Amino acid sequence: YHSAGVEAVTWGDAHELLLGEEQRDVMTDMLDALTPSEQFIHDVLMGSVLSHWDARKPHERIRQKARGGGFSNVLEELKSAAEFLDSMTRPGTETYVVDSNHDRPWVERWLQDERGQHDPTNSLLWHKLNAAMIESIFDDPNDRDSFHVFEHALREHAGLSCDVKFLREDESHTITPSNIECGMHGHLGPNGARGNPKSLSRLGHKANVGHYHSAGIWDGLFAAGKSCDSFDYERGPSAHSNSHIVTYPNGKRTVVTVWRGQWRA
């Protein structure tokens, strides 16, 4: 099936609700043309309702509501994310969701915000996910990894049906035989610091990451860009790009940047 000889594709951050039709078509075309053995998806969620950034910005929340597309309903956004993941699966391609700051951490942060119980649109889901989260803690207080609330929400409430693996925080996954680390999103740096390309490039291990929305190469560290359209805060000059990392079986990598809706000539 892998006639193109591609080992893996690391997609730029998805932020699915901001994925326009053009970028979806590009991803689908790349996936079907390259037939990678593995693919890595970062930041599935935009997390508009969950966003702590916009919690005290009523104008932004109204703007999001006016756009439609389920921006006021957490479950609708989760269902949209589940449909996206289902659409990206292919026979013979292992699909991994990398633990990213907009996914599990944002859901967990939302669940610990008591304002969620007073939200008439989302309070039922808030209580259900909190109950599942608390039960998992009582089952094993020392186990922080086996229960993944984002995966649970997608599978149990949003209808996710595909066979996709959700990597846990700090779970390593390397591409063989090139031994390139693909389990890092890029938001976590050494010793509890924030992640940045320079510090992660000094780990002494080749890696493919996302998070920064700007593609780049720092020694053995390759960073993808984003898959989605522009963010509201992108004003003025921007280094963000629709860029994806393609890794070949011999360990060679290339950053593919989409230009005018095309990823190849």
Side-chain angles (χ1 to χ4, degrees):
Y1 179 76
H2 306 290
S3 58
V6 170
E7 184 63 30
V9 173
T10 300
W11 301 105
D13 291 2
H15 299 295
E16 185 270 332
L17 279 181
L18 293 184
L19 262 178
E21 287 303 317
E22 183 177 273
Q23 296 303 332
R24 291 176 190 268
D25 290 344
V26 165
M27 295 176 74
T28 299
D29 189 43
M30 281 187 65
L31 183 58
D32 291 336
L34 299 179
T35 62
S37 298
E38 299 175 278
Q39 62 173 328
F40 299 88
I41 303 176
H42 293 251
D43 271 338
V44 177
L45 284 182
M46 183 61 223
S48 300
V49 186
L50 308 176
S51 175
H52 48 279
W53 296 340
D54 295 336
R56 299 186 182 277
K57 296 179 180 178
H59 291 171
E60 287 304 313
R61 298 185 73 85
I62 292 169
R63 191 187 314 278
Q64 292 164 2
K65 174 65 175 177
R67 286 172 173 157
F71 280 101
S72 65
N73 190 309
V74 174
L75 182 56
E76 289 304 311
E77 181 166 356
L78 291 173
K79 287 180 177 179
S80 186
E83 291 173 1
F84 165 68
L85 290 177
D86 282 338
S87 74
M88 288 292 290
T89 57
R90 298 290 187 278
T93 298
E94 294 289 336
T95 302
Y96 297 88
V97 174
V98 178
D99 194 68
S100 308
N101 61 308
H102 273 252
D103 296 338
R104 177 195 55 80
W106 273 33
V107 174
E108 290 185 357
R109 186 166 183 156
W110 174 61
L111 294 178
Q112 295 184 78
D113 187 338
E114 63 182 17
R115 289 174 295 184
Q117 63 185 313
H118 304 299
D119 178 353
T121 302
N122 299 299
S123 61
L124 180 59
L125 180 64
W126 185 89
H127 282 287
K128 286 181 177 180
L129 294 182
N130 257 314
M133 189 80 188
I134 293 169
E135 284 179 0
S136 75
I137 294 172
F138 276 111
D139 286 343
D140 188 346
N142 296 316
D143 185 359
R144 294 177 176 269
D145 295 322
S146 61
F147 182 76
H148 193 290
V149 69
F150 180 51
E151 178 181 11
H152 172 83
L154 290 181
R155 294 197 186 280
E156 299 299 320
H157 299 282
L160 180 67
S161 60
C162 62
D163 184 18
V164 54
K165 179 175 175 56
F166 289 76
L167 297 176
R168 272 39 181 176
E169 184 178 64
D170 290 335
E171 180 178 356
S172 173
H173 184 88
T174 57
I175 300 174
T176 55
S178 53
N179 204 33
I180 297 172
E181 177 63 59
C182 292
M184 294 190 301
H185 175 54
H187 63 304
L188 301 177
N191 302 321
R194 288 187 178 183
N196 67 77
K198 288 185 178 181
S199 65
L200 294 179
S201 69
R202 299 190 183 110
L203 295 179
H205 201 299
K206 292 181 179 180
N208 295 339
V209 299
H211 185 57
Y212 309 114
H213 301 165
S214 299
I217 301 172
W218 293 262
D219 296 324
L221 182 83
F222 276 55
K226 61 181 183 178
S227 297
C228 60
D229 295 333
S230 296
F231 298 92
D232 286 339
Y233 62 79
E234 286 186 63
R235 300 168 186 172
S238 174
H240 290 188
S241 64
N242 296 117
S243 301
H244 316 289
I245 304 168
V246 175
T247 304
Y248 299 95
N250 63 359
K252 298 295 184 181
R253 291 170 285 176
T254 187
V255 176
V256 176
T257 295
V258 180
W259 182 251
R260 294 181 178 177
Q262 300 295 321
W263 66 276
R264 57 180 173 177

